[in-house]
Amino acid sequence: MTDKYTQFVSRGIGKDVAKKLGLPQPVVLRRYQPGQALVPGPILVQGSSDGADELAAALLAWDLDVRRHAVPREKLGAIVLVLDELDHAEDLERPVLSAAASLRDLAPNARVVTVSRTPASAPGPASAAARQGIDGLLRSLAKELRAGATANGIMLADGVNTTSPSALGALRFFLSGRSAFVDGQFLTVASGEGQLPADPEKPLAGKVAVVTGAARGIGAAIARTLHRDGATVVVVDIPAAGDHLAAVANSVRGTALQLDISREDAGHRIIEHAVGRHGRLDIVIHNAGITRDKLLANMDQGRWNSVLAVNIAAQLRINDALLASRDFRDSPRIVSVASTSGIAGNRGQTNYAASKGGVIGMVRATAPLLAERHGSINAVAPGFIETEMTARIPFATREVARRLNSLQQGGQPGDVAEAIAFLASDAAGGITGEVLRVCGQNLVGA
Ligand code: NAI
């Protein structure tokens, strides 16, 4: 559901009034639906490297309408800018300005995706400058695009080519309506691990997934999205949420596990249920989370401890059980829900931000532990998402929080779920230890 203001200014008199008064003009975003075309028009692949040629060939093999040169005034669904062979910041000029000439031809909800190399592995300062320059360029461009168009980037570690499974997986995610509320962000592909699905509409076929905190809100949306993508889903929530949890389990034809994740034996109970009822366990989504907001000056032990216990300590303990289990060894995937509060900070949320910053630290340090079993772990950091939690924020504060991002609207629980479903898929197997923000590119904070 789009908020009422966005509906009002999307057409007719509302559109004219917003334009005259210079008010925000968010558009209804093109979100993924099964069977939908990947992008709303032809894809222009720019760049002269071998990597660009190979990428264009891979997109053609997906039966997409691919251009290697702009056709004047043709509306474009996407521009893919391949910059994988930069030695110097001056090398940016030609490809970037040539892409710039096509920006006015982007269709509503179009995509710009850069494909470049990570600065961390650059052979020297000049190439590191060129590679890091793409970061600033892309984030600025994302703030300039209009009408639901977004700009995101893929950074490849050295030795990973532009058509490796997760480079193509990330490209497909960024091009599609699955990433509608992801803007101004990068994903790093660390290795050639991963595998593209036989059926792009069922990337999780045959997998068994556990989602915590799934009785409502973002967790329920994650369960529905993983089910849509082919997974068998176990939904977990506290016993007090039992009725809602059963309803979600029925709607995804999965099973329910009533469990407080902060219990000592939570990890063991999750493994036992998944393997006992469904024969395996491939994916764990740590979504359950709570807030107990107070300024730090007024913080008490109860508020501090309960937030840290549910939001980070429980995840660490469950992960220990997963890492020790023989039943979580076949390319396992963990995705954890962090928050932009844990990155940029938020007034009144020192406890929550400490726990969500903790999630990010945990994810980065756990990635190497899963590598030997070809597993991955990543975090998704949502910004302002339209849920029961954010509906309780007073009107004026909520309206400001909602508009202060490049897409000028709040995200939907499904937007977070789409990012999680991608990171839980084998197409993202070469992406690990990453934090992907689903925030429409929040304008405030870090
Ligand atoms: P919500 O409050 O609507 O749902 C959270 C669910 O987790 C509830 O069903 C609750 O019963 C369950 N839960 C809480 N403690 C539990 C425990 N000890 N054991 C098992 N289940 C437990 O919250 P929402 O908005 O859906 O958030 C989901 C996640 O997304 C949380 O981690 C939250 O911090 C995060 N998030 C939400 C944002 C938003 O704008 N709504 C923004 C950024 C992050």
Side-chain angles (χ1 to χ4, degrees):
M1 260 266 299
T2 308
D3 67 85
K4 291 203 176 72
Y5 176 84
T6 300
Q7 284 170 21
F8 178 66
V9 299
S10 292
R11 50 184 181 267
I13 188 170
K15 193 170 179 175
D16 297 341
V17 169
K19 198 168 181 182
K20 280 211 181 90
L21 297 178
L23 295 171
Q25 286 189 279
V27 300
V28 177
L29 300 179
R30 179 180 187 265
R31 293 188 161 90
Y32 173 75
Q33 290 178 356
Q36 182 184 60
L38 193 66
V39 277
I43 302 179
L44 175 64
V45 178
Q46 294 209 305
S48 51
S49 64
D50 290 350
D53 291 341
E54 285 157 20
L55 199 63
L59 292 176
L60 274 173
W62 289 347
D63 278 342
L64 295 169
D65 202 358
V66 178
R67 308 270 180 276
R68 290 298 268 125
H69 298 284
V71 177
R73 280 181 295 284
E74 180 183 49
K75 280 287 168 211
L76 291 170
I79 299 173
V80 178
L81 185 53
V82 187
L83 302 164
D84 62 328
E85 287 185 358
L86 301 185
D87 294 324
H88 205 280
E90 281 150 23
D91 297 345
L92 281 166
E93 181 200 328
R94 207 134 68 97
V96 169
L97 294 188
S98 128
S102 298
L103 289 175
R104 286 186 201 286
D105 295 326
L106 287 176
N109 289 294
R111 300 283 187 259
V112 176
V113 184
T114 56
V115 180
S116 58
R117 299 239 166 246
T118 52
S121 54
S127 67
R131 293 176 183 197
Q132 190 69 39
I134 295 165
D135 185 289
L137 155 77
L138 189 282
R139 291 181 201 270
S140 300
L141 174 59
K143 292 181 178 180
E144 294 177 8
L145 295 176
R146 289 290 172 259
T150 62
N152 293 290
I154 299 165
M155 287 199 176
L156 309 171
D158 285 46
V160 175
N161 59 40
T162 56
T163 52
S164 71
S166 291
L168 291 178
L171 181 59
R172 199 174 179 101
F173 171 71
F174 281 143
L175 289 174
S176 75
R178 291 176 188 260
S179 64
F181 200 60
V182 181
D183 199 7
Q185 306 305 313
F186 284 88
L187 275 173
T188 295
V189 181
S191 72
E193 290 271 343
Q195 204 182 349
L196 293 177
D199 176 357
E201 303 232 320
K202 294 282 174 209
L204 302 177
K207 305 283 186 184
V208 174
V210 170
V211 185
T212 69
R216 65 179 202 188
I218 294 172
I222 298 168
R224 284 193 288 273
T225 304
L226 299 185
H227 167 65
R228 181 204 66 196
D229 282 356
T232 300
V233 183
V234 176
V235 290
V236 176
D237 212 298
I238 49 174
D243 289 348
H244 287 291
L245 188 66
V248 175
N250 286 340
S251 73
V252 300
R253 278 179 263 139
T255 56
L257 171 61
Q258 293 186 10
L259 173 72
D260 180 338
I261 57 154
S262 53
R263 279 177 56 135
E264 281 293 323
D265 63 347
H268 174 70
R269 294 270 308 275
I270 284 171
I271 297 164
E272 192 183 58
H273 178 103
V275 176
R277 298 288 291 272
H278 305 289
R280 55 190 292 146
L281 176 58
D282 304 285
I283 297 164
V284 173
I285 313 296
H286 290 301
N287 162 77
I290 58 170
T291 50
R292 298 285 183 271
D293 295 359
K294 271 281 174 206
L295 294 178
L296 186 57
N298 303 328
M299 186 66 69
D300 56 73
Q301 209 179 14
R303 281 193 173 80
W304 182 269
N305 286 344
S306 56
V307 168
L308 272 289
V310 174
N311 294 6
I312 179 64
Q315 296 193 16
L316 282 163
R317 214 168 20 243
I318 293 170
N319 287 355
D320 284 345
L322 294 171
L323 284 162
S325 169
R326 286 169 181 276
D327 292 308
F328 198 64
R329 298 203 64 87
D330 184 12
S331 307
R333 315 254 168 248
I334 302 175
V335 187
S336 199
V337 181
S339 166
T340 51
S341 288
I343 299 169
N346 201 17
R347 189 173 186 273
Q349 291 200 316
T350 49
N351 52 352
Y352 182 73
S355 72
K356 295 298 191 180
V359 165
I360 293 170
M362 175 273 281
V363 157
R364 289 187 179 138
T366 308
L369 307 180
L370 282 162
E372 60 153 42
R373 53 183 86 179
H374 306 287
S376 66
I377 177 166
N378 292 286
V380 165
F384 183 95
I385 304 296
E386 307 281 358
T387 61
E388 287 173 40
M389 190 173 99
T390 49
R392 287 198 298 269
I393 300 173
F395 174 78
T397 317
R398 186 171 72 227
E399 199 43 30
V400 171
R402 202 181 243 161
R403 304 294 157 215
L404 280 183
N405 63 61
S406 294
L407 297 170
Q408 301 178 320
Q409 58 193 287
Q412 300 294 325
D415 296 329
V416 181
E418 294 287 6
I420 287 173
F422 166 61
L423 292 170
S425 73
D426 286 342
I431 299 170
T432 189
E434 288 284 293
V435 182
L436 180 62
R437 296 191 214 181
V438 181
C439 66
Q441 197 180 28
N442 275 352
L443 301 185
V444 202

